[in-house]
Amino acid sequence: MKCFGLLYSKHGLRMDMNQNYIHANGNAFESILKTLEKPGGGEFGKYYSLPTLDDPRIDKLPYSIKILLESAIRNCDEFQVTSKDVEKIIDWENTSPKQVEIPFKPARVLLQDFTGVPAVVDLACMRDAMNRLGSDSNKINPLVPVDLVIDHSVQVDVARSENAVQQNMELEFQRNQERFGFLKWGSNAFDNMLVVPPGSGIVHQVNLEYLGRVVFNMGGMLYPDSVVGTDSHTTMIDGLGVAGWGVGGIEAEATMLGQPMSMVLPEVVGFKLSGKLKNGVTATDLVLTVTQTLRKHGVVGKFVEFYGEGMGELSLADRATIANMSPEYGATMGFFPVDHVTLQYLKLTGRSDDTVSMIETYLRANKMFVDYTEPQIERVYSSYLQLNLEEVEPCVSGPKRPHDRVLLKEMKADWHSCLDNKVGFKGFAVPKESQSKVAEFSFHGTPTQIKHGDVVIAAITSCTNTSNPSVMLGAALVAKKACELGLEVKPWIKTSLAPGSGVVKKYLDKSGLQKYLNQLGFNIVGYGCTTCIGNSGDLDEDVAAAIAENDIVAAAVLSGNRNFEGRVHPLTRANYLASPPLVVAYALAGTVNIDFETEPIGLSKDGKNIFFRDIWPTNEEIADVVQSSVLPDMFRGTYEAITKGNPMWNELSVPSGTLYSWDPKSTYIHEPPYFKDMTMEPPGPHGVKDAFCLLNFGDSITTDHISPAGSIHKDSPAAKYLVDRGVDRREFNSYGSRRGNDEIMARGTFANIRIVNKHLKGEVGPKTVHVPTGEKHSVFDAAMRYKSEGHDTIILAGAEYGSGSSRDWAAKGPMLLGVKAVIAKSFERIHRSNLVGMGIIPLCFKAGEDAETLSLTGEERYSIDLPSSVSEIRPGQDVTVVTDNGKSFRCTIRFDTEVELAYFDHGGILPYVIRNLINAKQ
């Protein structure tokens, strides 16, 4: 990493080589700066000692809050971070219920391929803007370490093939050469940015196995690792004792550029674990149980911290599995403090003995290490939960949401109720007389049939579970037992295995079990996002036609953590989350309409019924193969490739220079209009005048509904854009791969085929009504029509607007469509922040009110009057919304902090950063 030397500002601050702002008179807490001695003699470095403050309140703080406290102390300059901020954190027990604001400076920023591209695009645009405004464009550089992992999203076009990985990698480089080349340019053009080449693994797992420092040692200064990432599943790192969570891409970019994050000091839910998981129960079963418990408790915007004697029974991979699911239970993070299990994992994954010794010594010195052999100090939490691990039972979740848990023993009954129920999260409204329908069809000339609940996709896919050797090797043991008994998977079920890192292949090969997964069609297809982000690829034409022509409710079973409707595949209306071993079991059964307790999965080669219990491994069998097959050298060897790259990456030719040469003909990388006509004077706050309602939504509109994702439909506005530019349909690629082109992403916003817009009176799909004429258009075309007519637009929504993955395009897209405000019952945390970052006003209906209770049809015109000066607006104040038909109602404006108001005043977070950089004296 390159050293910046010292940067000076007009506030008498300087930034040291570790990118820490220091006041001209020194850090306000310089008196507690101590030297950390090595156990065998010598020094590790300097650190800010929390025990030296001698404040009894600190001992009772949750471990996760201590990380916020250390950051505030280390960065205390009485400007960006003040002594008052430090006191707020120390007094957390009293201040957190009051929703006080604090600044936070994470140790690093984590980007992944899809979100990394627009981040680098924005940095390149900011350099252009600085250049146009006559300032030194090279000021735009990350000021904290940035780790960018190209965990390219693998289209599962090639499966059931021994060389699927290589074939898919070649396809990805053919499709994405321009995008990969752009990121390689960025790694050379920007200082302080590490780019992990394609093929290394999925970002969350690379972060866990390789990038996570746990404790930083930068230039002799020791401090806890903390990270914000442009994907909500950044939280997986919380299982390693690193405080991390997802933020919007725009917010991450500002953090990279030296801005402190403004956050509300969170409440912390203490979750006590006891007991031990029963035989046959997996980490996935545990996480689905925890998810349901926490959703019921209500943890949105809160930290969850796990503790108790049951912690010793959970492997690091089990903890990471739970932490990864934080977005699904709604918490900012699910945190596991560092203990002996953490240290064992660090050694397993190839971290050096010296590094592990430094981590343990520092955390013990700062009382941030949990030693269960010592008496435990009773910590204070905002609220308390507990779970006896012995009570966890095998389960799945679905058919449309990750928190709708179903006990495995109740699965068949639940499936039939879903067929009966009206259309909704737990219903398909299939008439009784049609529920046993059998659709006959020919599969490649062989007569066969398909019924409601038949599995057509079975995917062991990245995200949550593939960090966990116990469930991965458990799935392989299921495959081994099934193969030895002669069971097979129907050839038209699309099976795939996409581990989170290359280490998985090594331990599957070492165990000798990969061949059994291959025999059932679970060949490794790549190391990245696949089915859980909609990249399962096309189903066989015969199967697809049978489903579509007979209106079959087909099923997908996947081990990721995203089964929202319309996300996995357009033709799988039922999508269930399950552990990797259960994915294999359901693939063998071929249907979710089965009671594993009483019904056979299939017939053995000698014609006997084979039941679920016949192929399910014991916990001891799994533990034995994990112990013998997962070795430290596997991790070291896998991650050596990061520094060496791979032949296809190394051969990419990229331009030199610190300003990017935009190609106007490119359909992958395009200069967005964010800074067009930007001046040095902030535009000030904007109200809304006589705006039309572009979209009228109910509850639980997710970022999967809003943000472009998956394949580009042939009849979509994005497809028309590509065709008009000579792109063949076979080369459309996915929205994710084209995230660097705002023209395509704007056209793909609200393009989800399952989106429900009340304007359409019951019709489902990515269209809306142009209110003045009553004409139906695609959302993009309607938005452009409103724009051309000079009209503002707003969105009406219900509860949990923007839940799901954190995606900056879920906010960038609506901004480019001309949306000025969103009025909802409630917002998901990250999405609300992203809306603010793009200059869109988030408003909440008052408690007990919504569009329905206020008799709003969405056909009215809406005006929101805001003061012309941001100084007259307060975080969380009420404003009046007036419609053209005489209705008037109060809403809460969801600018939650003074900093967010400043962003709004500047028209967004990035213009704010540019103006500040230009104004700062060097």
Side-chain angles (χ1 to χ4, degrees):
M1 274 172 202
K2 298 182 182 178
C3 174
F4 292 102
L6 299 177
L7 299 177
Y8 293 86
S9 86
K10 61 182 179 180
H11 298 283
L13 304 175
R14 68 176 198 240
M15 179 175 281
D16 69 11
M17 63 181 293
N18 304 319
Q19 288 73 62
N20 301 311
Y21 281 105
I22 300 175
H23 196 269
N25 297 322
N27 187 294
F29 290 87
E30 194 169 346
S31 62
I32 67 167
L33 190 61
K34 303 294 181 184
T35 298
L36 187 69
E37 307 289 342
K38 288 185 177 181
E43 299 178 0
F44 283 120
K46 302 287 186 182
Y47 74 106
Y48 285 90
S49 169
L50 302 186
T52 304
L53 287 173
D54 196 25
D55 191 320
R57 294 174 297 176
I58 295 176
D59 289 337
K60 296 193 296 181
L61 288 177
Y63 288 96
S64 49
I65 298 299
K66 281 190 173 184
I67 293 176
L68 301 184
L69 174 61
E70 190 283 337
S71 175
I73 287 173
R74 176 167 38 88
N75 291 291
C76 186
D77 55 16
E78 301 302 350
F79 169 58
Q80 288 188 324
V81 183
T82 69
S83 301
K84 289 181 179 178
D85 296 319
V86 173
E87 171 59 24
K88 287 177 187 176
I89 302 173
I90 292 176
D91 200 34
W92 170 86
E93 184 178 355
N94 297 312
T95 55
S96 61
K98 300 175 185 176
Q99 296 284 288
V100 301
E101 174 190 351
I102 62 161
F104 176 53
K105 302 194 79 172
R108 62 189 170 99
V109 172
L110 181 68
L111 305 174
Q112 51 93 251
D113 182 8
F114 285 172
T115 48
V117 170
V120 178
V121 165
D122 289 351
L123 287 172
C125 284
M126 291 173 75
R127 278 194 171 173
D128 289 345
M130 293 277 283
N131 194 48
R132 286 195 299 269
L133 292 167
S135 189
D136 179 8
S137 60
N138 288 326
K139 288 181 185 176
I140 300 293
N141 263 313
L143 295 181
V144 299
V146 174
D147 300 322
L148 196 162
V149 181
I150 305 181
D151 61 346
H152 62 292
S153 182
V154 181
Q155 290 278 351
V156 188
D157 295 329
V158 181
R160 300 200 177 197
S161 166
E162 291 290 347
N163 61 347
V165 173
Q166 182 63 25
Q167 291 183 59
N168 273 320
M169 179 68 84
E170 289 171 359
L171 281 170
E172 287 302 297
F173 266 85
Q174 290 170 18
R175 291 168 170 153
N176 303 309
Q177 182 171 344
E178 185 179 353
R179 190 172 93 247
F180 292 167
F182 175 70
L183 291 175
K184 189 174 180 181
W185 167 82
S187 70
N188 297 325
F190 296 103
D191 295 332
N192 225 16
M193 182 182 289
L194 169 69
V195 174
V196 178
S200 304
I202 195 169
V203 59
H204 320 115
Q205 199 155 339
V206 174
N207 194 26
L208 189 76
E209 295 175 354
Y210 178 74
L211 296 172
R213 282 75 156 179
V214 185
V215 173
F216 262 91
N217 187 343
M218 290 285 280
M221 177 64 72
L222 306 177
Y223 51 96
D225 187 6
S226 56
V227 59
V228 291
T230 53
D231 187 281
S232 58
H233 290 126
T234 301
T235 54
M236 182 184 243
I237 199 67
D238 302 334
L240 194 67
V242 175
W245 59 86
V247 296
I250 321 121
E251 192 175 6
E253 291 164 32
T255 303
M256 287 158 46
L257 294 166
Q259 296 298 306
M261 284 180 51
S262 180
M263 61 182 289
V264 173
L265 187 61
E267 296 182 28
V268 183
V269 177
F271 200 130
K272 186 175 184 179
L273 301 175
S274 60
K276 182 179 180 179
L277 292 175
K278 292 184 298 189
N279 196 41
V281 176
T282 68
T284 314
D285 303 322
L286 170 60
V287 76
L288 294 178
T289 303
V290 167
T291 297
Q292 188 181 53
T293 302
L294 289 170
R295 291 282 298 200
K296 184 177 180 180
H297 184 73
V299 293
V300 173
K302 301 176 184 178
F303 289 179
V304 176
E305 186 167 295
F306 294 89
Y307 69 104
E309 63 271 22
M311 292 278 281
E313 300 296 334
L314 293 183
S315 70
L316 196 290
D318 290 346
R319 299 175 182 190
T321 306
I322 295 170
N324 194 315
M325 287 285 274
S326 296
E328 280 65 51
Y329 45 81
T332 302
M333 66 176 182
F335 187 75
F336 291 81
V338 175
D339 60 10
H340 70 284
V341 174
T342 320
L343 301 181
Q344 290 168 1
Y345 181 81
L346 291 171
K347 291 178 181 178
L348 171 67
T349 50
R351 274 78 163 196
S352 71
D353 289 342
D354 283 348
T355 297
V356 176
S357 174
M358 180 268 290
I359 290 169
E360 181 177 5
T361 305
Y362 168 82
L363 292 175
R364 283 185 182 277
N366 240 352
K367 294 189 176 179
M368 299 170 82
F369 184 86
V370 183
D371 189 334
Y372 291 105
T373 66
E374 299 174 353
Q376 298 297 298
I377 295 174
E378 193 67 32
R379 294 183 189 277
V380 175
Y381 294 106
S382 307
S383 58
Y384 297 82
L385 289 170
Q386 58 183 356
L387 175 66
N388 185 339
L389 300 179
E390 294 176 7
E391 297 173 358
V392 178
E393 296 186 58
C395 55
V396 298
S397 189
K400 301 182 184 183
R401 295 191 300 185
H403 47 279
D404 291 332
R405 186 172 69 105
V406 185
L407 292 178
L408 194 62
K409 63 187 180 184
E410 298 172 2
M411 178 61 181
K412 183 165 186 173
D414 190 80
W415 169 251
H416 283 280
S417 70
C418 287
L419 290 179
D420 289 334
N421 294 344
K422 67 181 182 180
V423 174
F425 295 122
K426 292 289 289 185
F428 298 104
V430 177
K432 281 283 189 187
E433 62 273 15
S434 301
Q435 291 182 9
S436 57
K437 179 179 183 177
V438 177
E440 307 283 348
F441 71 103
S442 176
F443 177 71
H444 296 193
T446 302
T448 187
Q449 55 186 221
I450 189 169
K451 304 181 291 297
H452 294 303
D454 278 6
V455 175
V456 295
I457 293 174
I460 302 174
T461 185
S462 294
C463 280
T464 310
N465 291 284
T466 59
S467 71
N468 199 324
S470 67
V471 290
M472 296 301 287
L473 288 165
L477 285 170
V478 169
K480 178 177 186 289
K481 292 172 183 283
C483 290
E484 289 172 346
L485 290 166
L487 298 181
E488 297 178 345
V489 175
K490 293 183 177 69
W492 45 264
I493 296 177
K494 192 153 194 175
T495 48
S496 62
L497 167 57
S501 87
V503 177
V504 179
K505 182 181 188 306
K506 291 184 177 182
Y507 64 65
L508 284 172
D509 287 342
K510 167 84 173 162
S511 69
L513 296 173
Q514 179 65 57
K515 63 184 178 183
Y516 300 108
L517 287 166
N518 291 351
Q519 190 173 326
L520 297 183
F522 288 96
N523 301 80
I524 294 178
V525 296
Y527 307 100
C529 295
T530 54
T531 301
C532 53
I533 199 166
N535 285 354
S536 53
D538 294 334
L539 296 178
D540 181 272
E541 290 182 1
D542 293 339
V543 178
I547 294 170
E549 292 168 8
N550 295 280
D551 198 25
I552 295 295
V553 182
V557 184
L558 63 151
S559 69
N561 48 11
R562 290 288 159 82
N563 61 330
F564 295 115
E565 188 175 23
R567 178 181 174 110
V568 174
H569 193 283
L571 292 176
T572 59
R573 286 153 63 189
N575 302 286
Y576 285 93
L577 300 186
S579 66
L582 273 178
V583 171
V584 177
Y586 273 111
L588 292 163
T591 181
V592 298
N593 183 23
I594 183 172
D595 181 347
F596 280 141
E597 286 286 322
T598 60
E599 297 178 73
I601 280 181
L603 296 174
S604 69
K605 47 194 168 189
D606 56 2
K608 293 182 180 177
N609 283 335
I610 301 299
F611 289 85
F612 177 81
R613 56 184 171 271
D614 299 323
I615 63 171
W616 200 256
T618 65
N619 287 9
E620 288 73 22
E621 287 178 284
I622 295 172
D624 287 346
V625 73
V626 169
Q627 182 70 28
S628 62
S629 304
V630 185
L631 306 172
D633 283 348
M634 296 177 177
F635 293 90
R636 294 191 191 101
T638 297
Y639 289 111
E640 280 175 4
I642 287 178
T643 54
K644 297 176 183 176
N646 60 62
M648 285 180 282
W649 173 259
N650 293 338
E651 290 166 10
L652 278 177
S653 177
V654 299
S656 59
T658 58
L659 292 177
Y660 188 71
S661 300
W662 305 98
D663 179 0
K665 295 180 181 178
S666 172
T667 56
Y668 278 95
I669 307 297
H670 182 262
E671 183 178 13
Y674 307 139
F675 310 113
K676 186 180 180 181
D677 303 324
M678 178 182 166
T679 64
M680 284 302 299
E681 190 65 29
H686 66 79
V688 175
K689 180 69 173 175
D690 288 332
F692 286 101
C693 177
L694 178 65
L695 294 152
N696 186 2
F697 293 132
D699 294 343
S700 296
I701 291 295
T702 71
T703 51
D704 289 305
H705 292 112
I706 306 167
S707 183
S711 59
I712 297 173
H713 193 274
K714 62 183 178 66
D715 297 324
S716 66
K720 183 178 185 304
Y721 174 89
L722 290 170
V723 169
D724 289 348
R725 281 150 186 80
V727 179
D728 187 89
R729 184 185 169 193
R730 290 172 297 181
E731 305 299 326
F732 279 5
N733 214 327
S734 65
Y735 282 112
S737 66
R738 294 185 181 274
R739 287 182 88 149
N741 188 311
D742 58 288
E743 296 279 5
I744 289 171
M745 299 301 282
R747 286 164 171 78
T749 302
F750 298 111
N752 188 296
I753 62 170
R754 299 292 180 194
I755 202 164
V756 178
N757 171 18
K758 294 179 184 179
H759 278 324
L760 297 180
K761 313 294 185 189
E763 182 183 340
V764 176
K767 292 186 179 296
T768 195
V769 172
H770 179 253
V771 173
T773 63
E775 295 173 5
K776 194 184 301 181
H777 296 286
S778 70
V779 176
F780 176 79
D781 289 341
M784 293 306 101
R785 185 167 179 181
Y786 282 127
K787 267 193 168 185
S788 68
E789 294 165 348
H791 299 311
D792 287 346
T793 55
I794 62 138
I795 290 171
L796 290 177
E800 297 181 324
Y801 183 75
S803 57
S805 291
S806 64
R807 291 186 177 148
D808 51 345
W809 272 108
K812 287 180 176 177
M815 184 275 285
L816 291 173
L817 294 181
V819 174
K820 302 299 182 186
V822 179
I823 310 174
K825 287 178 71 174
S826 62
F827 290 92
E828 191 274 340
R829 175 185 61 87
I830 301 172
H831 184 61
R832 184 206 60 79
S833 174
N834 284 355
L835 291 174
V836 173
M838 293 312 295
I840 296 174
I841 307 168
L843 294 161
C844 276
F845 291 107
K846 302 303 289 183
E849 295 184 348
D850 57 21
E852 190 171 321
T853 63
L854 294 168
S855 300
L856 302 174
T857 66
E859 296 175 2
E860 307 88 351
R861 300 183 72 171
Y862 296 78
S863 293
I864 306 163
D865 189 25
L866 292 181
S868 58
S869 171
V870 75
S871 63
E872 299 177 42
I873 306 174
R874 300 184 315 279
Q877 79 176 54
D878 286 352
V879 296
T880 301
V881 181
V882 178
T883 66
D884 62 335
N885 60 356
K887 288 191 173 73
S888 176
F889 55 96
R890 300 285 281 172
C891 286
T892 301
I893 194 164
R894 287 297 310 279
F895 298 127
D896 289 357
T897 66
E898 295 290 345
V899 172
E900 287 187 345
L901 282 172
Y903 295 157
F904 185 58
D905 186 46
H906 280 259
I909 195 169
L910 298 182
Y912 170 86
V913 170
I914 289 176
R915 292 187 181 101
N916 276 5
L917 282 172
I918 292 176
N919 285 328
K921 293 179 182 178
Q922 298 302 305

